[in-house]
């Protein structure tokens, strides 16, 4: 389907086609990411979102309308929110303000959400990051697993997991992990490592000690399977 090149405005500002496409591409990757993590999206947030439908839905819209709330397919008590905050146009820097980060924390508490993804154009300022770090520490004291993941929009314009050279990654459940170690008489320390900061581990939002099953094509065996422990 050809793109309908009608004018597009957002946050009361005209937007060029290049910026519009980047907005669309980033949101598409986020929707794919959530579904790959096992979350159920609202129909309007489907990964099948097209550029034309993005234009129709968000033309003359504003930043807060981009926010996503999704539930785990296996547990509707496990929710995640995705925020797309922007810097104040009058600010000298394109970095998100402390007040914007505090608003994110406030909204997470309002929705009883303990996990979120924040998509920003530039890395957070020290004070903004400190707000998140302090909140995480407070939640730890309450025995709550509270986590905010930061992604730069530039990282999400292309979904790296869809690249033909990236093998298929499957996240093992805790039970599958135990079965793997038992079957091969292994301990965690025997498994090859993948860093938590690795782009694929970040895409799936993995914590340390979770395990990937990685399936690669093999000319001789058809498929070659390896495992990686997140370190």
């Amino acid at each position: 389907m050809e793109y309908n090149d009608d004018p597009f405005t957002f946050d009361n500002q005209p937007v060029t086609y290049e910026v519009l496409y980047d907005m669309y591409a980033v949101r598409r990757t986020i929707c794919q990411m959530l579904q790959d993590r096992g979350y159920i999206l609202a129909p309007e947030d489907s990964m099948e979102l097209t550029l034309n439908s993005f234009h129709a839905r968000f033309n003359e819209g504003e930043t807060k309308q981009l926010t996503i709330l999704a539930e785990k397919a296996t547990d509707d008590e496990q929710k995640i929110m995705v925020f797309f905050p922007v810097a104040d146009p009058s600010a000298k820097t394109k970095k998100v303000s402390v007040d914007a980060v505090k608003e994110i924390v406030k909204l997470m508490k309002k929705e009883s959400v303990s996990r979120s993804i924040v998509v920003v154009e530039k890395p957070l300022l020290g004070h903004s990051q400190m707000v998140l770090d302090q909140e995480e520490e407070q939640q730890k004291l309450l025995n709550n697993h509270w986590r905010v993941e930061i992604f730069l929009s530039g990282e999400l314009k292309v979904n790296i997991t869809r690249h033909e050279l990236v093998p298929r990654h499957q996240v093992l459940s805790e039970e599958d992990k135990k079965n793997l170690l038992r079957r091969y008489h292994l301990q965690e320390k025997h498994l090859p490592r993948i860093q938590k900061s690795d782009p694929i581990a970040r895409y799936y939002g993995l914590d340390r000690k979770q395990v990937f099953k990685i399936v690669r094509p093999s000319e001789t065996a058809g498929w070659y399977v390896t495992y990686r422990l997140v370190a």
Side-chain angles (χ1 to χ4, degrees), residues 47-105:
M47 62 185 289
E48 301 301 329
L49 186 73
T50 65
L51 182 57
N52 281 333
S53 61
F54 181 91
H55 185 292
R57 182 180 177 191
F58 294 109
N59 187 30
E60 299 183 352
E62 54 187 10
T63 298
K64 64 181 181 180
Q65 291 177 280
L66 296 175
T67 302
I68 297 173
L69 174 62
E71 300 174 349
K72 273 279 191 180
T74 55
D75 183 359
D76 58 12
E77 292 296 317
Q78 290 189 46
K79 300 178 181 179
I80 191 169
M81 296 186 77
V82 184
F83 301 95
F84 300 83
V86 295
D88 187 329
S90 63
K92 294 181 179 179
T93 175
K94 290 187 177 182
K95 296 185 178 182
V96 175
S97 68
V98 172
D99 288 341
V101 173
K102 288 181 178 178
E103 182 64 20
I104 288 171
V105 173

Side-chain angles (χ1 to χ4, degrees), residues 149-200:
E149 304 169 61
I150 307 296
F151 282 88
L152 299 182
S153 57
E155 300 177 285
L156 301 171
K157 293 177 182 179
V158 175
N159 187 337
I160 57 173
T161 68
R162 302 302 197 263
H163 194 284
E164 62 181 4
L165 296 180
V166 176
R168 179 160 56 90
H169 288 66
Q170 176 186 342
V171 181
L172 295 190
S173 67
E174 190 60 30
E175 186 64 26
D176 288 339
K177 173 185 170 183
K178 291 178 181 178
N179 290 337
L180 170 70
L181 297 177
R182 188 183 304 117
R183 183 186 310 127
Y184 295 107
H185 305 288
L186 299 172
Q187 298 179 23
E188 282 186 356
K189 65 182 180 180
H190 298 139
L191 292 175
R193 300 291 200 268
I194 182 173
Q195 294 301 312
K196 186 179 178 181
S197 58
D198 183 275
I200 300 295

Side-chain angles (χ1 to χ4, degrees), residues 17-58:
Y17 173 81
E18 289 74 16
V19 173
L20 166 63
Y21 189 86
D22 285 348
M23 292 172 63
Y24 155 72
V26 168
R27 187 179 181 83
R28 180 182 58 187
T29 298
I30 283 290
C31 290
Q32 293 170 340
M33 178 190 293
L34 293 179
Q35 290 196 321
D36 288 343
R37 292 186 184 193
Y39 289 95
I40 299 176
L41 296 174
E44 60 269 24
D45 292 326
S46 167
M47 62 185 289
E48 301 301 329
L49 186 73
T50 65
L51 182 57
N52 281 333
S53 61
F54 181 91
H55 185 292
R57 182 180 177 191
F58 294 109

Side-chain angles (χ1 to χ4, degrees), residues 172 192 206 215:
L172 295 190
L206 296 197
V215 182

Side-chain angles (χ1 to χ4, degrees), residues 4 40 113 132:
N4 178 3
I40 299 176
V113 172
L132 298 179

